[in-house]
Amino acid sequence: MRRVGNGYVCAPKGLSMSEPSADVSATVEYTMDKWRMDRLPWAMWACVAGLAIALHAESRGQSGAALAAVYLALLGLAFAGYALTTLIGRSGLPLLLELLIGVLVLSIVAGVIGVISVLVGGPSGRSSYGGVVPSLYWSRLVNPSLNVFGWMLLYLGLGWIAFSAYRHLYADQAVVSMSAAGIRFHRPWLKGLFIPWHEVRGVGHLVVPGISGVPYVSPYAAAVTVGQDFYEQHIAPKRSFFAPPGSEAMFQPKGEMMQVVLSGGDMTVKPEDFLGPAEARWKAFRDQPGSSSRNGGTIVYGRWSITGSAWQAVWFLAPLIGMAVVMLYR
């Protein structure tokens, strides 16, 4: 593998490419690796802050590590309930049925959280509250010590570091890939989407309606245009019910056709790095419906690497120094 521009080229032995994206026999892949690794220093700083709080904050005799794990589990459960009610709101169900299902989900989530709070929290002495709910304060989950939040930061930071490092060493499937056959999308909520080149009607920047009615060409998004019939038959049925909010922006109408956005905020790749390879392959294979993938190597965009720059060194070494300072002054 060798780096060329913003991408990486995995070429067969003896293959020479001065312009890798112009070699239409090669497959071009776009990954989230750089996006994930660029956020790794923030996770390291979260670990620094979490360690400082866990070491120096009061514990009041509580097991901060255990309570932090319970807190994260409860937050995950609450987020799952919120995500489910959001999906129900987008389902198009009648308002009354949607409301009843939402109340049911809320009741179940609140009940599970309440049971876990009773089982894990336990009594911690006399209540400092009176009135109708005098026992609210007894749960350690309601009034945790500060070091619990330090452990939560540690768990979250270490989790992101482990996940990013694992995915960097053992790369997952590319989000978007282009070959001689066409374009493939590998998003979890959009599985199996494939657009052959002969179905593509155009390649360019995304065009959206402007405020004044004049079409606006976005310089930040690359897209391919397909016919409305192809969209209705082969793309719309694959759009998952579990698509995250904002995913509808990937599909934008353009007259009687539909634009499919290639670039995304989860890939640190410039729109031009999508448009060049896409246009080259579209022009080469749009009149060849039977084209298949060819053994021309693989070009990877969005892959993180050590550049040797001073900024990158500071960005990753600073939190390590901060960690050492926290450990020395514990």
Side-chain angles (χ1 to χ4, degrees):
M1 178 182 289
R2 62 187 180 89
R3 188 174 184 180
V4 180
N6 294 324
Y8 285 79
V9 179
C10 301
K13 187 176 181 180
L15 181 63
S16 175
M17 292 183 286
S18 58
E19 294 291 339
S21 64
D23 182 3
V24 295
S25 64
T27 298
V28 186
E29 296 183 345
Y30 302 86
T31 77
M32 292 178 58
D33 183 58
K34 190 175 187 304
W35 184 88
R36 286 191 291 254
M37 292 295 290
D38 282 348
R39 283 150 183 77
L40 194 145
W42 291 109
M44 296 169 67
W45 279 116
C47 290
V48 174
L51 184 63
I53 295 173
L55 290 178
H56 299 287
E58 62 172 343
S59 64
R60 297 206 300 266
Q62 298 178 355
S63 176
L67 284 179
V70 175
Y71 258 87
L72 290 177
L74 293 177
L75 287 174
L77 179 62
F79 178 79
Y82 165 76
L84 183 57
T85 53
T86 301
L87 291 173
I88 293 171
R90 296 162 49 194
S91 64
L93 294 173
L95 180 60
L96 181 58
L97 181 58
E98 179 184 323
L99 180 62
L100 291 175
I101 296 177
V103 171
L104 178 61
V105 171
L106 177 62
S107 301
I108 294 175
V109 171
V112 172
I113 290 177
V115 170
I116 294 177
S117 299
V118 172
L119 294 177
V120 177
S124 60
R126 181 178 297 177
S127 169
S128 60
Y129 286 101
V132 182
V133 285
S135 61
L136 176 63
Y137 194 70
W138 47 240
S139 176
R140 289 190 291 263
L141 293 176
V142 174
N143 186 33
S145 58
L146 187 59
N147 76 331
V148 172
F149 299 102
W151 280 103
M152 290 176 67
L153 286 173
L154 271 172
Y155 289 153
L156 292 172
L158 289 173
W160 185 262
I161 292 171
F163 173 71
S164 300
Y166 174 79
R167 278 309 183 193
H168 179 70
L169 296 174
Y170 303 96
D172 53 347
Q173 207 169 27
V175 179
V176 179
S177 62
M178 303 180 193
S179 67
I183 308 173
R184 294 186 184 277
F185 297 83
H186 307 288
R187 295 185 180 277
W189 52 273
L190 193 65
K191 293 183 178 180
L193 176 57
F194 172 69
I195 304 176
W197 293 117
H198 66 270
E199 293 290 350
V200 175
R201 300 292 178 262
V203 177
H205 288 281
L206 177 67
V207 179
V208 295
I211 298 177
S212 61
V214 179
Y216 169 72
V217 179
S218 172
Y220 308 108
V224 295
T225 305
V226 298
Q228 188 67 32
D229 290 342
F230 179 82
Y231 172 79
E232 296 292 343
Q233 295 177 19
H234 300 279
I235 298 180
K238 294 183 180 297
R239 294 182 62 175
S240 173
F241 173 76
F242 296 100
S247 59
E248 59 275 1
M250 182 177 172
F251 307 98
Q252 298 287 338
K254 183 181 180 182
E256 297 181 353
M257 295 184 290
M258 183 67 70
Q259 299 173 101
V260 182
V261 177
L262 302 175
S263 54
D266 54 357
M267 293 177 286
T268 312
V269 181
K270 297 181 295 184
E272 290 74 18
D273 291 331
F274 284 93
L275 295 178
E279 186 173 13
R281 282 154 185 76
W282 175 54
K283 291 180 177 179
F285 302 114
R286 59 185 173 184
D287 297 326
Q288 304 176 32
S291 297
S292 59
S293 298
R294 304 181 182 184
N295 187 19
T298 302
I299 305 163
V300 182
Y301 286 94
R303 181 79 174 166
W304 182 87
S305 66
I306 299 176
T307 62
S309 67
W311 169 249
Q312 189 183 62
V314 171
W315 190 228
F316 279 86
L317 289 177
L320 294 179
I321 295 174
M323 185 76 69
V325 171
V326 170
M327 293 297 294
L328 288 174
Y329 290 93
R330 53 181 301 177

